[in-house]
Structure formats: structure tokens, C-alpha cells
Amino acid sequence: MPDRTRCPIDGKPGPVTAADSSLAATLVRRLALDRMSWVDVVLLLIRIGFISAVIIGSTRTFMEGRFSAAQWGTLISAGVAQGSIYSLIALGYTLVYGILRLINFAHGDVFMFGAFCTVFLAIWTSQQGILERAPAITVLSWILFAALVSMSVAVLVERVAYKPLRNKPRLVMLISAIGASFFLQYTARGFFSTAFRSYPTVPGLDGRLELGQITVPHVQITVFTVALALMAGLYILVEKTRIGRAMRAVSENMETARLMGVNIERVIMFTFGIGGALAGAAGVINGLYKPQGVSFIMGFFPGVKAFTAAVLGGIGSVPGALIGGLLLGIFEALGPNLVLTGLGIPGSNQLKDVIAFLMLVLILIFRPQGIMGEVIEEEKA
Amino acid sequence: MQRLLKQLAKPLSQGAVAGVLCIYIALTGMMEAFGEREIVMGVLDLGKLVLFGPFVGLGLLLQQQAPNRRVGWIRVLVACLAGMVATGLFILFIDAVSIRHMFTHASPALVAYMTMGQDVLAAGLGLFAVTALGAGAVGSGLALMPAYLRNTIFIAALIVVGMALLSELISQVLRQILNGRPDRLLFSQGALRPAVAAIAVASVFAWRGLVPRIRLRMQDRLPQLEPERQRQVSLAVRGAGVLVLLVLPWLVGSYLSEVLANVGLYLLMALGLNIAVGLAGLFDLGYVTNFAVGAYLMGVLTNSGPQATGEFNFWLILPVSILAAMFTGLLLALPVIRMRGDYLAIATMGFGEIIRLLALSDWLAPLIGGSQGVLFIPKPNIGAFTFQTPQHLFYIILAASLVMLVVINRLDLSLTGRRWMAIRDDETVANAIGIDTTWIKTLAFTLSAASGGLAGAIFASKLGTIFPHSFSLLISMNVLCIIIVGGMGSIRGMVLGTLMLIGVPELLREFSEFRFLLYGILLMAVAIYRPGGLMPARARHYRTEPAPQPAGGTPAASSSAASG
Amino acid sequence: MSESLLSVSGLTMQFGGLRAVDNVDFHQETGTIVSIIGPNGAGKTTLFNCISGFYEPTEGEIHLGERRITGLPPNEIARAGIARTYQNIRLFRNMTVLENVMLGQERLLRTTWLGSIFGTRAARRETDEVVERSHAILAFVDLDASADRQADELPYGDQRRLEIARALASEPRLMMLDEPTAGMNPRETADTERLLQRLRDERNVSLLLIEHDMRFVMGISEHIMVLNYGRTIASGTPQEIRANPEVIEAYLGSSAQD
């Protein structure tokens, strides 16, 4: 839909007169002031309020010199590590959205399932001493296992919950997706109970790297590296391989791709599989990064945040997911300290998730096409 | 040989699916939990029903699809064997290898349950196999009998299971009406006594044998009633319904009144959200926001605890809560009003979570209590009379629900309702025929919020305390499930959905662990098989008053022309 | 003396680098039937979308009577008195035939949401009136027998007529029809031609058509405008258009697809 205003304040424009070509009239038309509606006024106020809150908050934080450069560095590196996990999950949303125009509401739970199943393997390898002997290979095997589990779950969800609904209204698919999300969460709860379980500590990951004043934990570097490697792999897959070309063709135009002989169903299944695999891998590195462990509800917040990242980067765009995830991770890490403390709001770290949700809502309101994406225009008539 | 295998591939895989289903039910813990609940004393429990249900289904399905009886029996046999082997291997596996550290429910108790308590594993497996085959045979038998008989058996089974599951409700009502413990005649620890079950089945058969003729005669007679009489009849039915509702809390006692009150609150929310989701097609996943605003306003302005602010009267704050919820609804609607359907859903969900996190935060704690919540919220009162018990409160909720039902019913048939449905069907065209879509969508959000605020205000006063965790996303999801399962835009559907998704689970608290699992399955099933819901909205028909007019083209003239 | 109904001057609609409508001028008088023809992709539907407010034109002015309607939102334009139909039928598919026509009367309605909630007498009376008028309109297009059926259950031809009935329900000054005979057999086309003539003669509606069927266009229109690549290449009476060499050339290239 072209960005146009609905209700003009001036309801009764007269016939063309000389006044229409005057300077004032030109100005009014150029700035589209005659087309401002009350919704636009509200949106403008929100925009102004939000931007001024950010500016005032961060200026005051900087003026007071509350945090040292090293502290900022620590926050940013934590944000980058967290953000790269979001990016990995976001790819699943982006790939599926690109092809089916569906928000795969169950994707966060696909992530959860991989992480949850693998935690048992991880604990076992730790108990058997395998982890001690070959940490790198063991962790890689976890990632592989989680990727396999999540891939199977994602494909299963696609087959059961979405495939029967091809060409049905998008909202019906969303309902099915919400159902699938509930199903996965409470299946995990039934299988594995409500307890939290933690990944064992991997030898070598508990150290820190000193970079001048800034110290970066090894685990953050590992998380970032693994995520980057996986994303590079995906990029090559999408850009260079046959199936990747088919995926791009289908997301460009499904009907044309079908006519060109692309097997749509296979591409869809493959897309869900790849997205699931990346989410599973993200589940493992998230487990390494977060000591509090995994549980059946762990998928919700990362899921929503990764979706935010996908929209922020431009849904449908692979590099967009990377950028969106990193940006979201950094904002989320900096936001409470930078903006909220400056505004004098107590307990600002409690509000970390509020910042993420606020970003989600604001992006959806003001820039649904994201940074890299293009407007998906609805057909008019 | 190859041909044979090809023919058997389908039953084999279907049998395996049934086996996997059994294993799934066992691993999620449903089988054991259901096993605790007996249906017919000493004969059948719910766990056995879900263990062997898939085999009955297999028998029914395969026999119905088979070209002839012989092929049908062979397929059923093969499929049941496949299912049995899958399940049997699973039993053997969890008996031999302990996987309990991963799958909590894969315990020796599960093995014992699935092998029906036999000490020797082989004997248990044998018994399991025989029963499973029997179940398959029963299914096939059902498939082969006349449909009328089959339906009669289904109805009888449904009534027996329903009676057993609702034993608490039935017992309570009986105890309230009759002296002593009449329920002991029917139930023993919640299970039907075998004789009672037999009588129930027999009476279903008797009824099904007699009724067709009676009903036929009734149907002949009903349309013959004059419109005036028809209206009288429907008025009488409605009056009787209200009368039943009025005595209901005293029939079902205190605990079940509490359940009814919860059902009423959810009905209020469902009716409200139905305006946005069902009529206007605006997928709102943040409905809990309105509920929270209503509850917090009522809590903060009436409580006498640490957050005491004014300690106003319930009746004064009730309309204020509704208005506040509407205002919030309006405020949150404006920024999202131009969003597309799925983005709208996610954005409203974001609002819901933001409100909950803010309620939980230390930032707003001085005002609304943070994680400590709001305490000492008084019950409503009229003069010296306080609505203390759940029974009393039920009447407030009943009154609110009836008012909302009337309002929503009016909106549903009104020209405003038509505008909402138009933007649901095709927003672009609705705009192009002259509907101010921005305004009409904002209106839907605002009015839909009113009912949520009302429910929240009553909720706060009823509970006496409110905590942020009462306002989680799950509330929005519950209400959404009611609407989708009941039938979007259908008022009858809302009532059915609330009873099914809120009322019944409250009666079966012991299975509350599986409530959302079943919601998930239900949502997917409805989306795939019945997108209109269980009770879809009916088309709205309009009849003008039959005012005779001479000019051609009047409704009367044209409809008679059409029928002629 | 006929008066001016619709006048479009210098209308341009630009999408990125594409000028879908390029400096179009035209003028329609009350009580006339005007047709716009041209090969596929000539900008005909885009022109309609500009007039009915879906697009805000890049340049140019549109007037309905004396009133400037350039860039008004679609609902305002509908209220000003322009109703339209769509190339690919767009009914409210999950609603009844009657409801579709009821909704068409939006521009005449006074009922507000408060009236709807409280069920005021005025609101109820208006609903009754709307229902009655709808039946009359359905009778006019010979669909009253299907009043209570769901719109998407109707056969194709009836759906087209229902769309016209919905547009007619707003008692418009101008009705814009986007390919009213698309997908119809000759008999249905002839019926439609009769219906459109009755619309003008009995209901005093002026019509602006987009149409591909040349025989139909030549038979029904008082005035024809030919678009190609967004520009007006000819404009005149059917006889003038038939004789215009430029039109013949533009159509020779695209005659294969008709």
C-alpha cells in the first residue's frame, strides 16, 4: 500500500483557483499537510516522544559518565554474542516468510526442541568424559545433533500444520502456527518435565580474552564465530547451489517458479529444514552461552526477538537477518544502561525485554520493510 | 510378493502411525495420568481408552476404506500388528533400558500400566496384544454395522464417558437436590458403577429406538405455529434459561460456582475480543492488556492495602475501569491501525507483553505494586450486603454477561456490524464503498476493549488480590482459542467455546498439565478441518416488518415472484 | 444542456521509472456512457485507481462536478458519488447477497455505532429501509431470489451483476465499471449491455467503462478514449475511433490477444 494519508483535514476542496498555485499552497502540498489525519498525528507524536527519550536518556548517561569505556565494551561484546544467536534463529523466520508469507510462530519452539533434546546428549558426553577428551569435536557433534533434531521437528510441523493449508488465508495459517507452538511446548513439557537443565561447562570456554581494557569471554567469541560460520554456509547454499536458486526463485514468484519446473513442495520442505537446522544449532550455542539452562518455555522470548530481528533487517533478506540480529542484540544490551538509567528509571535491567518488545512494535509501525527489505505491496484492484 | 508388499504398505504405515501415537501418549505422561481416572468402575479407565483408542480407530478407518470385507479384515489385522509391534518394542525397550533421566514418564510404572499389571512381562505383552487386536476387531465391527446403530453406540459411549468425567458436577447437583448421598448410587470415587453404565447404555438404545418417530412428528408441528406463538415459545424458552441460570449457583455449590464465575469472565472477554477478531477480522493477540487495565484500575482505586489510593467503591470504579480499558484500547489501536493482519497480531502481542513486564517492574511498583501485586481489594457491596461468596459474585458476572450478550448481539446484526464484516472480507473494497476503515477499525478495538476491562475489574474484586503473573500471554491465547474453536463471529460459538475450553478443564483439574497440549492440537485441527469453528457463524438474515406496499419491487412482491 | 460530471486534467501516475498514466485529459458529461479502451497494460485500471482514490496521482487534477477530488481517500470519493466495480470480481464473499447490497448504501447511511449499540428507533428504521431498498435494487438486476445466499456461491455472471448492484446501491453520480463483460459468453454480454442501458435510462447513472469487447464498446458508448502506454492516443465518437489510423495501428499489434 502506498504510504498515503486517509482523511484530509480540509474536507471540501473547491475548484481550481489561483490560490492553488501560491507559495503557501505549494508548501502545504509538498509537506502533505493537507492530508494529515489524526492517526498521522498520533504516529508523529510517538516518533517524537521516542526519539527524544532516547536522545535525552543517552545524553544524560554520557554527561554523568556513569560507565567506563571498558564497561561499554563488555556490554557491546555481550550484545554481539546474543545478537548472533538471534540472527541464526531469525534466518528461519526470514526464509519461511520469503516463501510462504507465513510467520512461523512455532519456530521459537523448534529452537527449544533442539536445545532441549541435545542437553541430554551433552550431559551424557560430559559424564562419560568424552567432552573432556575432545571438547571441540564433542561440541560440534552436539550442534550437529541439535540441527538434526530441529530440522526433523521443523519439517514435521510443516507437514502436519502448514501443508494442508496451502493457499488458505494467511490468518488461518497463523492459527495453525500458534497451535503448533503450543503443541511443541507442551509436548516438551510432557516428555522432559518442567525442570531446567544446564549444558555442562566446556573446558576452555570459561576463559577470557584481554583486548586492552576490554575483556571478552571465550564463550562469546565462540558463539559469534560459530554463528558467523553457519551463516556463511547458508549464504553459499542460497547463492551458489541449485536448491538455493530454486528457493530464491520461489520466494520471488511462486507461480513463475512452478511454471519453470521448480518442485515447490520440495523447496518448501527444504526451507523449513534449513531454518530448523540453524535454529537447532542456535539452541546449542545459546545453551553454552546461558548458564541458566533450558526448559520448555525457553523458546518464546528468543523466538519473538529473532522475529523482531528478521523484520528489522528486512524480512525475506538473508544478510538482513544477520544485521537485524546483531543490532537487536546490541540495542538490548545497551538500551537499559544507556537510555533508561539516563531517564532515571530504577531497575532498568528488568526492562531489557520491554526494550526488545518496544523495538518490535516500533519497527512494525514505522518500518515494516526493515533496513534491507523492500515493500511487499498488496494488490489493489 | 512385491505386489503384496505394495498393497500392505499403507496399512503397515498407518498401523505404525497408531503405534507412534500410543508411544507419544505414553511418553507425555497422559496415559498414566488418564489411567488414574476410572470411567466404569473396575472395567475401564481413561488411560486404557487412549491406549486402545488408536486401534479401534484403525479398525474403523481401514475397514471403511476397504473395497470388500476380506481385504478389510486383512488390512486391519496387518495394521494392528504393526501398531502392536511398535508399541510392544517400545514397552520392551523402556523395560530394558532406563531412559527416565530424559523422558520422565518412561518409568516401570508405565510398563506395568501398559502390560496391565501382569507380573511376567511376556504375559503382559500377550494380554496387551490380544486387547489391541480385540480393539481393532471392535473398530472393524463398528465399520460394518449400519450407520444408525453405529451412531447409537457412539452416543452411548459418549454419554458414559461424559457422565464419568463430569461425575463431580452431577454428584454435587444431586446432593443439593436430594438428601443424603444419592450420588453414591451412581458413582464410586468418580467412576460410574457398572450397573449404572449398563442402564445408561440401555436407555440410549431405547431412546434411539423410539425417538425418530417422535421427532418427526414434532418437526411437522413446529413450523405450523403462528409467528406470534413462535415468539411466545422462544420467549418462554429464554425465560426458563435465565431461571435455570439464577438458581444454578445454589445447585452446584461453592466450588463449582467459582468455576462458573471463571467461565463467565472468559465469556465476557471472548464476546469482547470477538468484535475485533470475529467480526472485524483484526487479529489481536494482546487482549490481556484490556483485562489488566480493568483489573489494575479496580485494584489500585479500591484497595485498602499498601497501594491504597482513594479506596473508592466498586460500583463507582466499575464504569471507570471500562472507560479506562476503552481508552487504552483506542491508544494502542491507533499506531497499529494500518498494519497488515499477521504483523498486527505480533504487534498487539508485543503490547500485551510490554504491559505485563511494566506491571512487574520496580519502576511502576510504587503505583501498582510491582511483583508484590495489589492486596486487600474489597468485594463489591450494595449497602450492607457484600458479595462475599462465589455464589454471590456469580450474579454480578451473570448480569454483566447478559448485558454484553445483548449488546454484542445487537452489534452483530447492526449496520456497524456489517461494516466490520466488510473490512474483514475485503478492506480495500470496504474503503472504496465509502467506509472510513481507519475509524471503523479503531472503533472495533475500542469497543472490544470495553468487555475486557469489565471482566478485569470484576476479576480484581472477586480475587481480592492481583499479581502481574495473572496477566500473561496465556490469557490472550485462551480467549483467542475460545473464539477460534467456538467459531469466529458466532455468539453461540463463544458460549460453547468457553464451556468447552474453560469450564470442562476446570472440572478435570487433574489433567491441567495437558490442557495446552490439547489446545494446540485443537487449534491445528480447527484450522485444517473446520476453519469456521465448531459452531460457525450463521448468515445474517434480515426480514423487514411485513408492511404491505402497493409498489412493485417490494420484498413481499419480489420474494413471491421468486418462489413462483 | 448537459453539465460537466467528471473532468480529468493532466493526470500522471508514476511508479518509480514507469509512467503508468501519462498526462491524460478527459471530460465526461452527465448522463453519458464513456469507454476507455486500449491494449493490456495501457494504464486503464491505473487511471480508474487514481480516480477512485486508491492511488494519489503524481500530477494533475480530478474534479467531480465542481468539486476537486484529487487525492482524496477512497471513502471520501465514494461519498462524493463515484462507485466502481473491479476487473477481478471483488465481493464481500462471506456475506450474503443482500448484505453486499446493504453495504453498498454506505454513503447514504446515518446510523452511528451508538445507534447500533442501543438499538435506537432511528437505527432500526434505517436498517429496515436499507433492507427494503436492497431488495428493490436486487429486483432491478434480477437477483432478488438469491438475496439470502452467500455471495461466493453465486454463478459467475450473477457475481458480476451483484457487483454492479452493490455499486448502484450508493445511488452514485458516476459508476466506473472495470471490464463488466470479462469472461462472459455472448448471451451474457448482451444481457449486460441491456442492464447498463437500463442503468442510464431508468436510474440516471452516468457510466465510465473499461472494456475489451469492441462490438460491445462501439454499441453502447457515446464517447471513447483510447489509451496506449499511459497516453491518450485518440478520443471521440465510436465512428471517429473506428476511422482513426493510430488506433488501428495500436490494435493491430495487440489484436492477437483479443
Side-chain angles (χ1 to χ4, degrees), chain A residues 268-289:
Chain A
I268 291 174
M269 209 164 88
F270 192 78
T271 308
F272 272 87
I274 291 292
L278 291 172
V284 171
I285 60 175
N286 180 68
L288 297 179
Y289 183 53

Side-chain angles (χ1 to χ4, degrees), chain C residues 16 53 131 192 201:
Chain C
V131 171
T192 307
D201 299 341

Side-chain angles (χ1 to χ4, degrees), chain B residues 326 406-407 410-411 413-437 439 443 447 539-545 547 549 553-555 558-559 562, chain C residues 54 73-76 78-79 82 84 86 90-96 98-99 102-104 106-107 109-113 116-119 123 126-132 135-136 139 144-145 148 166:
Chain B
M326 286 172 77
V406 170
V407 170
R410 268 197 193 137
L411 284 173
L413 289 167
S414 71
L415 293 173
T416 307
R418 301 283 67 67
R419 293 176 185 135
W420 282 328
M421 286 176 63
I423 59 168
R424 182 191 70 187
D425 267 16
D426 192 331
E427 191 177 333
T428 309
V429 176
N431 195 210
I433 59 171
I435 295 174
D436 182 347
T437 44
W439 158 242
L443 181 68
L447 290 183
R540 280 82 173 162
H541 294 313
Y542 293 86
R543 293 279 169 272
T544 45
E545 294 298 316
Q549 280 179 356
T554 60
S558 53
S559 61
Chain C
F54 287 160
N75 54 316
E76 293 285 325
R79 285 186 175 274
I82 297 181
R84 70 169 287 183
Y86 303 84
R90 290 177 77 162
L91 295 167
F92 301 115
R93 308 171 40 153
N94 298 310
M95 301 172 81
T96 63
L98 184 74
E99 283 176 312
M102 287 169 72
L103 276 164
E106 175 68 22
R107 124 179 152 95
L109 298 187
R110 269 176 241 307
T111 302
T112 62
W113 59 282
S116 293
I117 287 185
F118 294 110
E126 186 165 45
T127 310
D128 285 350
E129 283 167 12
V130 166
V131 171
E132 239 161 81
H135 279 297
D144 203 34
D148 280 339
R166 183 178 67 191

Side-chain angles (χ1 to χ4, degrees), chain B residues 12 15-20 22 55 58 78-88 128:
Chain B
L12 271 173
V17 166
V20 169
C22 273
F55 289 97
L58 217 51
V78 169
C80 283
L81 280 173
M84 267 160 47
V85 169
T87 320
F128 166 77

Side-chain angles (χ1 to χ4, degrees), chain B residues 346-382:
Chain B
I346 302 290
T348 48
M349 185 184 82
F351 283 142
E353 282 296 290
I354 290 174
I355 295 277
R356 183 181 65 87
L357 291 165
L358 286 180
L360 199 59
S361 71
D362 290 344
W363 180 35
L364 297 178
L367 210 61
I368 59 173
S371 56
Q372 303 297 310
V374 182
L375 314 173
F376 303 106
I377 305 166
K379 297 267 185 293
N381 68 308
I382 298 178

Side-chain angles (χ1 to χ4, degrees), chain A residues 1-8 10-17 20 29-30 32 34-35 377-381, chain C residues 15 45 49 53-58 60-61 63 66-68 70-76 84 86-88 90:
Chain A
M1 184 186 306
D3 185 24
R4 47 160 310 160
T5 42
R6 295 279 146 184
C7 319
D10 178 10
K12 300 184 205 70
V16 196
T17 57
D20 275 16
R29 270 191 88 172
R30 272 287 126 79
D34 59 336
R35 305 173 57 79
E377 197 165 314
E378 307 247 317
E379 199 186 341
K380 271 295 183 191
Chain C
F15 297 109
T45 298
N49 284 346
F54 287 160
Y55 299 143
E56 190 185 345
T58 322
E61 296 292 344
H63 284 79
E66 288 295 285
R67 185 171 169 195
R68 174 172 170 258
T70 323
L72 286 183
N75 54 316
E76 293 285 325
R84 70 169 287 183
Y86 303 84
Q87 195 175 340
N88 43 345
R90 290 177 77 162

Side-chain angles (χ1 to χ4, degrees), chain B residues 46-226:
Chain B
L46 201 57
K48 295 284 185 319
L49 209 62
V50 294
L51 176 56
F52 295 111
F55 289 97
V56 178
L58 217 51
L60 186 64
L61 208 73
L62 288 175
Q63 186 67 267
Q64 265 180 345
Q65 289 169 351
N68 61 52
R69 244 175 236 210
R70 207 170 61 90
V71 174
W73 282 110
I74 292 171
R75 283 189 191 170
V76 171
L77 184 72
V78 169
C80 283
L81 280 173
M84 267 160 47
V85 169
T87 320
L89 283 176
F90 167 72
I91 296 174
L92 280 174
F93 179 70
I94 59 173
D95 190 56
V97 187
S98 170
I99 51 168
R100 277 194 81 180
H101 57 272
M102 185 168 177
F103 293 100
T104 349
H105 294 286
S107 62
L110 178 70
V111 176
Y113 182 79
M114 291 177 80
T115 52
M116 302 188 215
Q118 299 295 314
D119 290 331
V120 188
L121 190 64
L125 280 177
L127 191 56
F128 166 77
V130 170
T131 320
L133 275 181
V138 168
S140 294
L142 281 171
L144 293 174
M145 63 182 54
Y148 191 76
L149 185 59
R150 181 167 60 235
N151 289 341
T152 309
I153 292 176
F154 277 141
I155 292 171
L158 216 64
I159 283 180
V160 168
V161 173
M163 274 175 80
L165 289 183
L166 301 180
S167 59
E168 194 182 352
L169 176 71
I170 298 170
S171 305
Q172 182 65 39
V173 173
L174 283 177
R175 254 180 281 166
Q176 217 73 28
I177 299 174
L178 305 166
N179 288 330
R181 297 293 305 270
D183 52 299
R184 294 233 173 105
L185 288 174
L186 298 180
F187 302 109
S188 156
Q189 290 167 342
L192 275 179
R193 290 177 185 281
V196 178
I199 293 173
V201 170
S203 32
V204 168
F205 272 87
W207 167 64
R208 289 279 285 182
L210 292 175
V211 154
R213 268 156 274 158
I214 300 174
R215 189 188 287 165
L216 269 180
R217 221 174 300 150
M218 285 280 283
Q219 269 171 351
D220 277 348
R221 199 172 293 172
L222 245 159
Q224 286 171 6
L225 290 177
E226 292 156 30

Side-chain angles (χ1 to χ4, degrees), chain A residues 4-355:
Chain A
R4 47 160 310 160
T5 42
R6 295 279 146 184
C7 319
I9 286 168
D10 178 10
K12 300 184 205 70
V16 196
T17 57
D20 275 16
S21 55
S22 77
L23 182 68
T26 318
L27 206 66
V28 164
R29 270 191 88 172
R30 272 287 126 79
L31 295 177
L33 286 180
D34 59 336
R35 305 173 57 79
M36 285 281 275
S37 79
W38 38 290
V39 174
D40 292 294
V41 175
V42 171
L43 290 180
L44 192 67
L45 287 179
I46 294 175
R47 216 182 270 242
I48 293 171
F50 184 72
I51 292 173
S52 47
V54 169
I55 291 175
I56 294 172
S58 40
T59 337
R60 277 173 53 184
T61 309
F62 277 128
M63 300 271 273
E64 288 168 17
R66 210 183 280 260
F67 301 99
S68 67
Q71 279 170 313
W72 289 124
T74 310
L75 284 175
I76 290 178
S77 83
V80 168
Q82 181 64 64
S84 56
I85 295 174
Y86 294 155
S87 299
L88 275 185
I89 311 173
L91 285 168
Y93 283 109
T94 271
L95 292 175
V96 167
Y97 198 93
I99 285 180
L100 284 184
R101 301 278 179 272
L102 159 77
I103 299 173
N104 183 6
F105 210 81
H107 191 60
D109 303 297
V110 169
F111 158 80
M112 175 274 293
F113 231 92
F116 216 154
C117 286
T118 312
V119 83
F120 299 103
L121 174 74
I123 292 170
W124 183 77
T125 52
S126 167
Q127 281 166 350
Q128 302 293 317
I130 302 171
L131 178 63
E132 284 289 317
R133 261 173 277 152
I137 294 181
T138 312
V139 170
L140 274 183
S141 75
W142 297 350
I143 292 178
L144 207 66
F145 180 73
L148 275 175
V149 170
S150 287
M151 183 194 278
S152 328
V153 173
V155 170
L156 190 75
V157 165
E158 199 280 316
R159 290 298 286 271
V160 173
Y162 305 143
K163 198 175 175 190
L165 295 173
R166 293 270 191 279
N167 306 323
K168 289 277 163 58
R170 256 194 298 212
L171 286 181
V172 179
M173 286 212 285
L174 188 65
I175 291 170
S176 195
I178 294 173
S181 165
F182 268 128
F183 177 77
L184 289 181
Q185 268 181 43
Y186 286 85
T187 297
R189 180 188 153 143
F191 281 178
F192 312 129
S193 87
T194 52
F196 278 77
R197 284 169 217 264
S198 292
Y199 274 79
T201 325
V202 178
L205 279 192
D206 40 6
R208 287 166 181 282
L209 188 71
E210 305 280 336
L211 284 173
Q213 280 188 318
I214 306 164
T215 57
V216 183
H218 285 162
V219 66
Q220 289 181 359
I221 299 171
T222 314
V223 164
F224 186 64
T225 320
V226 172
L228 218 56
L230 285 169
M231 276 184 271
L234 177 82
Y235 192 75
I236 292 169
L237 184 88
V238 172
E239 293 295 322
K240 304 279 181 231
T241 64
R242 226 180 117 81
I243 186 82
R245 266 203 302 279
M247 278 167 73
R248 277 182 295 147
V250 174
S251 81
E252 196 72 34
N253 188 327
M254 190 181 282
E255 275 321 301
T256 314
R258 197 194 307 273
L259 292 176
M260 304 290 279
V262 176
N263 184 344
I264 308 280
E265 288 302 321
R266 218 178 112 234
V267 169
I268 291 174
M269 209 164 88
F270 192 78
T271 308
F272 272 87
I274 291 292
L278 291 172
V284 171
I285 60 175
N286 180 68
L288 297 179
Y289 183 53
K290 294 248 177 84
Q292 68 265 39
V294 295
S295 78
F296 76 100
I297 42 166
M298 69 178 280
F300 177 69
F301 276 98
V304 174
K305 288 175 184 172
F307 176 72
T308 312
V311 180
L312 176 60
I315 200 148
S317 148
V318 171
L322 171 66
I323 295 169
L326 292 181
L327 278 180
L328 183 70
I330 293 171
F331 284 154
E332 200 184 57
L334 291 184
N337 298 305
L338 186 61
V339 180
L340 297 184
T341 35
L343 291 174
I345 292 171
S348 55
N349 268 314
Q350 284 178 330
L351 299 177
K352 208 178 83 179
D353 290 335
V354 173
I355 293 201

